[in-house]
Amino acid sequence: MSEILNFHFDVDGDDFTSAGKASVNVKKNLRQLGLPPEIIRRVSIAMYEGEINMVIHAGGGTADVNVTEEYVEILLSDKGPGIKDVDLAMQEGFSTATDNIRSLGFGAGMGLPNMKRYSDYMDIKSKVGEGTDIIMRVNII
Amino acid sequence: MTVEYLSTIDGMTPIVLCEPEREINGVYIGDLLSWVMGNATSGDAWITIMSNINILAVASLSDVSCIILAEGVTLEEDIVNTAKEKGINIISSELSTFETAVLLSHFL
Ligand SMILES: Nc1ncnc2c1ncn2[C@@H]1O[C@H](COP(=O)(O)OP(=O)(O)O)[C@@H](O)[C@H]1O
Ligand SMILES: [Mg+2]
């Protein structure tokens, strides 16, 4: 599978206000590639939720986006605390976010469910004390 | 109805109108950002009372036609400037969230 494009981003762990930079950037690039708006919307929302999670829960991480002829792939990687029970974390409404985070409108426990919903494939590998790696793919065809 | 038209109605004040001709196709109401991203539809007007910088990314990624800040909520100047840069329409409503939604319903 030949890759058309790839992007790499370092997601800053302590800068809440600029969170979303990577996703907004990817949105712009996918637009220039001429992908369908609904695909772009799904990719960028799924990526933003992942980006926000790395900022809120993991102290930052990295995001890589690969565009192939078949799909857009998002790879998120962090060295945060990890997720103890992934099935529980995937449930709508489950959140360990603090009140401070909630007052900003985050922490509704809908981030991972949104990522699942907007991607065609999603896999989470997480180890407590080591970190979390997430793969998401949104099919183009 | 266009975003510009909405902004001229009594009780509405334009804050940022980068894309005045954008059509409002529907409405989504909510302050929890993941709910908005999960449920708003492209072209919706998004009514909220949230006023922190993150609403700009959410509006952009969800592709809503505008943010309507209800209940007279205001924005800090640097957020207004960022919205201009990012091309995000924002209207301030002095009506309650409910009254704002009722008003919009007459035009949809
Ligand atoms: N990258 C991550 N590192 C550690 N924990 C995470 C990460 N992403 C998600 N979590 C855990 O999964 C929970 C649910 O995530 P999510 O559905 O995005 O909801 P929210 O972010 O609103 O809490 C979080 O509250 C957190 O406990
Ligand atoms: Mg989240």
Side-chain angles (χ1 to χ4, degrees):
Chain A
M1 172 54 52
S2 62
E3 277 177 16
I4 304 172
L5 262 181
N6 41 54
F7 313 100
H8 174 83
F9 303 93
D10 292 312
V11 178
D12 201 344
D14 39 47
D15 191 359
F16 217 93
T17 51
S18 72
K21 247 191 204 158
S23 320
V24 171
N25 187 302
V26 164
K27 181 185 167 182
K28 238 183 250 158
N29 280 292
L30 295 184
R31 250 198 201 157
Q32 277 168 8
L33 273 183
L35 290 182
E38 202 46 39
I39 300 279
I40 297 175
R41 195 166 173 276
R42 286 169 56 200
V43 168
S44 51
I45 291 177
M47 181 169 169
Y48 181 66
E49 291 282 15
E51 204 185 335
I52 287 292
N53 277 354
M54 292 198 295
V55 175
I56 298 176
H57 305 295
T62 59
D64 287 275
V65 178
N66 301 314
V67 185
T68 74
E69 277 161 18
E70 284 173 23
Y71 51 74
V72 181
E73 180 177 62
I74 305 158
L75 308 168
L76 305 165
S77 180
D78 69 63
K79 305 234 174 302
I83 304 172
K84 198 159 70 185
D85 184 342
V86 171
D87 289 337
L88 182 63
M90 285 299 302
Q91 284 181 20
E92 294 190 359
F94 177 85
S95 175
T96 59
T98 60
D99 286 349
N100 188 28
I101 296 292
R102 283 170 206 258
S103 70
L104 293 171
F106 294 110
M110 293 295 291
L112 290 173
N114 274 350
M115 288 157 72
K116 174 101 190 152
R117 170 177 181 179
Y118 283 132
S119 56
D120 293 299
Y121 169 84
M122 173 164 150
D123 181 53
I124 305 181
K125 288 201 169 42
S126 191
K127 247 194 177 160
V128 173
E130 291 187 18
T132 303
D133 290 287
I134 298 179
I135 301 181
M136 290 182 281
R137 285 191 199 123
V138 176
N139 294 338
I140 297 174
I141 46 171
Chain B
M1 171 175 52
T2 64
V3 174
E4 183 172 35
Y5 182 80
L6 174 67
S7 75
T8 62
I9 296 173
D10 259 8
M12 303 292 137
T13 310
I15 306 289
V16 181
L17 283 186
C18 317
E19 233 188 315
E21 295 306 316
R22 184 91 196 259
E23 194 66 28
I24 298 174
N25 305 325
V27 178
Y28 189 79
I29 304 174
D31 303 316
L32 297 177
L33 304 180
S34 287
W35 277 83
V36 178
M37 288 186 286
N39 299 299
T41 308
S42 177
D44 279 355
W46 170 27
I47 308 176
T48 185
I49 54 166
M50 277 291 163
S51 58
N52 66 73
I53 184 94
N54 302 294
I55 63 173
L56 302 183
V58 170
S60 164
L61 300 173
S62 304
D63 196 33
V64 295
S65 51
C66 64
I67 301 174
I68 304 175
L69 297 167
E71 321 268 355
V73 165
T74 56
L75 286 184
E76 281 171 23
E77 202 183 312
D78 57 329
I79 299 183
V80 173
N81 291 335
T82 308
K84 281 179 189 156
E85 275 165 35
K86 290 193 174 177
I88 294 161
N89 292 325
I90 305 179
I91 292 172
S92 158
S93 165
E94 55 183 46
L95 308 178
S96 71
T97 300
F98 173 70
E99 289 164 336
T100 305
V102 169
L103 180 112
L104 276 155
S105 75
H106 296 309
F107 296 94
L108 293 172

